[in-house]
Each structure stands twice: as structure tokens, then as C-alpha cells.
Amino acid sequence: MEFSIKNQSIDKVRSGCLVVGIVEGKKLTPSAKAVDQASAQALSHLLKQGDLPAKAGKTLLLHHLTGVAAARVLLVSAGPGKALEEREFRTLVRSAVTALDGTGATSALFCLAEVPVKGRDEAWKLEQLVWVARETAYRITRVADQQDPPCTLTEILLPPSPALKPAALHTLLQRSSAIANGQDVARDLANLPPNLCTPTYLAERAKAMGKEWKLKVDVLERSDMEKLGMGALLAVSAGSRQPPKLIAMHYQGTDKKKKPVVLVGKGITFDTGGISLKPAPDMDEMKFDMCGAASVFGTLQAVAEMRLPINVIGLVPTCENMPDGNATRPGDIVRSMSGKTIEILNTDAEGRLILCDALTYAQRFEPATLIDVATLTGACVIALGHEATGLFANDDSLLAELQAAGNATGDRAWPLPLWEEYQEGLKSNFADLANVAGRPGGSITAACFLANFTKTMRWAHLDIAGVAYRAGKEKGATGRPVKLFCHYLMQQCAR
Ligand code: BES
Ligand code: MN
Ligand code: ZN
């Protein structure tokens, strides 16, 4: 789906459709007014007849209005006259794209940024418009001959913005499209079945992405991990026939000497739980246990496409968690790369094991900031449901910056504590640490486990177990938190 700017009086635009917002009771939005005037008050008459309900997001598609060059006009209700909530604005865009999908209108002029949204400016509305349109047009790539028909709306035109200069508007469209592309990369990877999306496959994809976007990509093999003493990562991989990989993707957008932001994404391509086997129902969802990794891939591509003046490294520890004769047993003790020994009491708490070695490895890049992202705990889903990412940081300004990036994009995160008191549960009689504490505060104790490996660094942890994918009829990956990451990194460039 392409976005471009169309500088022409609205009644003259020869696109497949004009999309205009209607605010109930109020005067028509400027573009609706222009259509109304060009069409001898056709809109006013229709609205008087009550053909468009006042509920935000209701639509009415009109054909061949006299006086209007476009073949169609889509009226989109913007509700009963108050400034919209953010989610209502997103509904507006989603319903407009849905209403045009399957019609003959392959291109449409969207005038929806005229609709007021509480506390939000033009730039916010345009960025959301791009993202929501792209998300609505997204299709899962099926592993089948028959694919779902693609969205028929392939071109969105936008009128020049009253608030933004042409160059700023152009950059905004370019960047929000790059972020949407990155989000699609994350969704596509995560939606693949676990027999195809293996650690080896992820490593291949990283190399291909490196070629396309000029990233330096290194892949550590099992033998490298053995040499580095990554006993925790290797313990998770022990029960799998698939070799583990540690992927490093380097994007250099500024002076080499500038310290990088390092993103670490959990890449468990399938989590059976290992010997602490998970119950059968919904176990298929554990193919999404590499969504953290997928979001790092997507973010790196977006950052490269935007050519941000910043250095970013994406690190992806990836393996399978399988039960097998060679699998790690509950009670096994392993030595992590940091030197700390870990008593593995539950092999299903594997994410923190691969992450602790990756976080230790990340130290060698001397990160300005280190952020890991993981579908780490079911407890996070219980705590925050499917809206908010669980957010932890050992630095208050970093916590605030990440939360702000979430608020700015709608890809929101909510803070949870990392207090020392929570370390108590991770004590072991036999090793430096146990890999699980009790059930209470499960996402917090998981984060506290990781905190033991990041003491020397400015570090944050994002638990995306509740937000990275949807279950049920709408099953599929969301691509979160690519938007949060991209805004955070854009903000870092501005500093
Ligand atoms: N990948 C899971 C966490 C998860 C659960 C993600 C549900 C998405 C949806 C993780 O590896 C796991 O199994 N965690 C355990 C930890 C427990 C054994 C301490 C959990 O949450 O049950
Ligand atoms: Mn697990
Ligand atoms: Zn897992």
C-alpha cells in the first residue's frame, strides 16, 4: 500500500474514492463541505435523511455524485461532535479501509486527518492513519496454494497538510511506512509454523536481511557458544534436534565510536516446556515464543529503511525447547556465561536462560542502552492482559523514555517493579540462582532473574507475552513492539 500527497481541489481529484469524515450535529468537515458544495448539497440531503448513523466508524459509500470527479465518496461517521478518543480515530481509519476493500476503488483520497482527536496533532493522526491502514490491509501468508485475496485498496492519497510543510509530511509518510514494513516483517516471521521457522531459518533470514539492508550479520554456532561458556542457553537447546544460533545484526547509522543501543529478542521457535512439559491445549501458540526475536528483526529493518543516525545491534538467541533423552532435567545445574550457576527447577522457564547468556554476551558491545524483549511469562498476561507490555528497567529515565514511546505510538507499556525483595524467591540451596521463584509475581521474578546479569548496564526488559499475538479466531502475530522501539530510537537520534 502506497501513500502520497495529492495537491488538488477535492472535487477535481480523479481517484477511486474520496474519504471524508462526518461529525454529527456539527458543520461538515472542510472536505465534506467541499464535496457538498460541488454536488449541489447532496451530502446535506443524505445526512438529513439519517442515512449515516452517528456512531464513530459507521460508513456510507456513495457512487457517481454529480459535480465530483472521483467515482465514489465514502462518508465515515466521526461520532457525535466531540473530539475523538485515540482508539475511535483508529476505528475510523480501519472501517474506511474495510469498506473500500473488495470494491473497485484501488486508490482513495483520505481526508480523515481533519477530524479532531483529543490531545493529538496532525502528525499523530497521519502516522496512525498509515499504520492502521497497513494493519487492516495485512494478510497472513498461508502455507497453502490458496492465499487470501489481497486488499484491493493499494494507494492512499492525502491532501497537503495545513500543519506540516511538504518535506516534513514526506518524511512522516516515509518513516511511518518503514515502521509498518518492519511490523509486517515481525508478523510474517512469527506467523510461520515452527517446523519452517527454526533457529537455522532465522539465521538465514538475518543474513538475507543483512544483504538487502546493509547490516553486518554474524551467527554464532553451538561450538562458539560452548567456547564462550553459554551453559544456560545450551541447556535449553539440549533436547532439540535443531542446532541453536546466536544471531547478531549490526546497523551502523552514525560514527562507529558512538555506543550502540542493543536490542535482545527471545527466539524460542517452539516452547514445549521441555521435561516440565506444557499441557496440550493451545500448545501450538508456543510457536509465537520467538515474537521478541521477530520484533528485533522488524525494528532493525525499519531503522535501516529510515536510515536513522544511530547505531543499533539486534541480538537474537534462538533455539527450541523440547523434551528428549538429552534434554535438561529439573534439578540440573548449569554454569551461565557470566560464571553464575543456575539450578534449573523448571525447564519451562527457558526464556530467562537463553536471555541471561545473550545479555552477558551483549556487554562486549558496550551498549549505551540494553533492552531485551520476550514472551517471557504467562503471569504477565494475568497481570496486564492483552493491552500493555510489561515494562521493567534498572534506570528511571530509560523507563520513562520507553513508556513515552509506547504512549506516542499506541503500542503501550506499563511499569512493574524490580525491587531487591523479589530476589528472595530465586535463591537456591545448590547454585547461585534458581531459574524460578513461586507463582506470585511471576513476571516480576522473571525480570529480577535477568537483572542479575545486567547490573553493569543501563537495561530494560519488555515482557510481551500478552501483546505479541492474538489467540482464537483472530490468531496471529501483532508485530508489537516494533512501533514502540522505532519511536524510542527516533527519539534517541533527536537527543
Ligand atoms: N513462553 C512462556 C511464556 C508464555 C506463556 C508466553 C503464555 C505467552 C503465553 C515461557 O517460556 C514460560 O513457559 N513461562 C512459564 C514460567 C514458569 C515456569 C515460571 C510460565 O509463564 O508459566
Ligand atoms: Mn516456557
Ligand atoms: Zn517460552
Side-chain angles (χ1 to χ4, degrees):
M1 181 178 269
E2 302 296 327
F3 296 83
S4 53
I5 301 148
K6 189 83 183 168
N7 192 357
Q8 198 177 14
S9 111
I10 178 164
D11 52 310
K12 303 260 161 33
V13 175
R14 292 202 165 276
S15 78
C17 190
L18 302 176
V19 180
V20 297
I22 302 293
V23 182
E24 148 106 313
K26 281 275 169 69
K27 286 183 296 184
L28 299 169
T29 55
S31 55
K33 196 178 205 170
V35 172
D36 197 42
Q37 279 166 2
S39 65
Q41 278 74 47
L43 296 197
S44 306
H45 290 309
L46 265 164
L47 293 171
K48 262 197 214 108
Q49 293 171 39
D51 284 6
L52 183 70
K55 196 165 177 295
K58 290 281 177 194
T59 59
L60 183 63
L61 186 58
L62 311 171
H63 295 86
H64 303 298
L65 277 196
T66 31
V68 175
R72 303 166 190 78
V73 174
L74 181 70
L75 306 183
V76 188
S77 173
K82 285 190 299 241
L84 294 185
E85 300 292 339
E86 297 180 10
R87 70 189 140 71
E88 291 176 315
F89 182 75
R90 286 191 275 264
T91 303
L92 231 64
V93 178
R94 199 177 307 114
S95 2
V97 175
T98 306
L100 293 178
D101 192 2
T103 71
T106 54
S107 92
L109 180 77
F110 272 56
C111 303
L112 295 177
E114 294 170 354
V115 176
V117 177
K118 267 184 211 155
R120 292 303 189 181
D121 60 8
E122 179 98 354
W124 182 91
K125 287 187 269 188
L126 289 168
E127 185 179 47
Q128 291 286 327
L129 194 155
V130 171
W131 288 342
V132 175
R134 287 285 305 269
E135 282 159 18
T136 311
Y138 178 82
R139 298 290 190 273
I140 288 171
T141 308
R142 287 175 178 271
V143 186
D145 295 336
Q146 283 282 324
Q147 299 295 321
D148 294 330
C151 184
T152 54
L153 182 67
T154 53
E155 185 184 33
I156 290 187
L157 308 171
L158 297 160
S161 161
L164 293 160
K165 293 208 176 79
L169 180 55
H170 183 264
T171 306
L172 185 148
L173 295 181
Q174 196 264 335
R175 288 191 165 185
S176 31
S177 294
I179 295 170
N181 291 342
Q183 188 167 274
D184 283 0
V185 165
R187 296 178 80 172
D188 285 344
L189 273 178
N191 283 331
L192 285 171
N195 58 327
L196 299 183
C197 183
T198 61
T200 303
Y201 178 85
L202 285 179
E204 294 305 318
R205 283 291 298 266
K207 285 178 193 156
M209 213 172 91
K211 279 227 176 76
E212 185 176 357
W213 295 100
K214 297 198 174 66
L215 310 172
K216 184 167 88 71
V217 176
D218 299 316
V219 178
L220 300 195
E221 307 291 336
R222 184 188 279 128
S223 55
D224 303 309
M225 298 173 197
E226 284 164 354
K227 279 181 209 130
L228 288 162
M230 295 184 164
L233 201 171
L234 289 166
V236 176
S237 178
S240 167
R241 306 285 173 98
Q242 296 291 337
K245 307 277 173 184
L246 179 58
I247 304 165
M249 299 173 272
H250 299 250
Y251 168 76
Q252 194 198 322
T254 183
D255 190 336
K256 242 204 192 100
K257 285 190 246 76
K258 268 256 175 119
K259 290 188 173 167
V261 174
V262 179
L263 304 177
V264 180
K266 173 179 174 183
I268 295 290
T269 58
F270 196 74
D271 182 11
T272 66
I275 297 301
S276 312
L277 194 63
K278 286 183 181 294
D282 303 325
M283 204 206 270
D284 63 286
E285 288 173 18
M286 284 302 117
K287 75 170 188 175
F288 293 120
D289 215 14
M290 39 61 73
C291 280
S295 76
V296 171
F297 273 76
T299 301
L300 264 282
Q301 184 188 297
V303 166
E305 190 178 346
M306 290 189 278
R307 298 178 203 234
L308 293 187
I310 189 172
N311 296 331
V312 185
I313 300 176
L315 264 188
V316 170
T318 171
C319 67
E320 278 184 336
N321 188 21
M322 301 287 274
D324 168 272
N326 198 41
T328 296
R329 292 153 288 256
D332 282 2
I333 295 179
V334 298
R335 188 179 296 278
S336 64
M337 184 182 172
S338 72
K340 285 194 169 71
T341 54
I342 302 165
E343 185 183 15
I344 300 178
L345 292 173
N346 188 323
T347 63
D348 197 11
E350 85 298 340
R352 61 197 80 181
L353 295 173
I354 68 167
L355 287 173
C356 75
D357 277 344
L359 290 167
T360 302
Y361 184 74
Q363 267 192 55
R364 70 182 50 209
F365 303 119
E366 297 180 42
T369 302
L370 174 63
I371 308 171
D372 77 75
V373 55
T375 46
L376 201 63
T377 63
C380 193
V381 191
I382 303 301
L384 296 172
H386 301 290
E387 298 301 324
T389 292
L391 173 59
F392 303 82
N394 64 8
D395 180 290
D396 288 342
S397 63
L398 176 58
L399 186 98
E401 286 163 13
L402 289 167
Q403 197 176 6
N407 291 340
T409 54
D411 188 356
R412 287 180 294 178
W414 197 255
L416 289 165
L418 273 178
W419 300 328
E420 205 53 38
E421 283 82 347
Y422 289 104
Q423 292 289 344
E424 194 58 34
L426 293 166
K427 294 208 164 121
S428 157
N429 284 348
F430 305 102
D432 293 326
L433 280 170
N435 79 325
V436 287
R439 286 189 18 110
S443 37
I444 300 173
T445 53
C448 286
F449 178 90
L450 297 176
N452 288 292
F453 301 86
T454 55
K455 289 210 168 114
T456 59
M457 294 174 281
R458 186 172 187 258
W459 162 74
H461 158 62
L462 273 57
D463 194 333
I464 55 167
V467 304
Y469 67 94
R470 279 185 283 271
K473 239 185 104 218
E474 299 278 278
K475 186 154 73 189
T478 60
R480 287 179 69 176
V482 168
K483 289 181 292 200
L484 181 156
F485 275 151
C486 288
H487 259 245
Y488 168 75
L489 293 168
M490 283 155 65
Q491 213 56 47
Q492 293 309 298
C493 298
R495 279 153 57 102

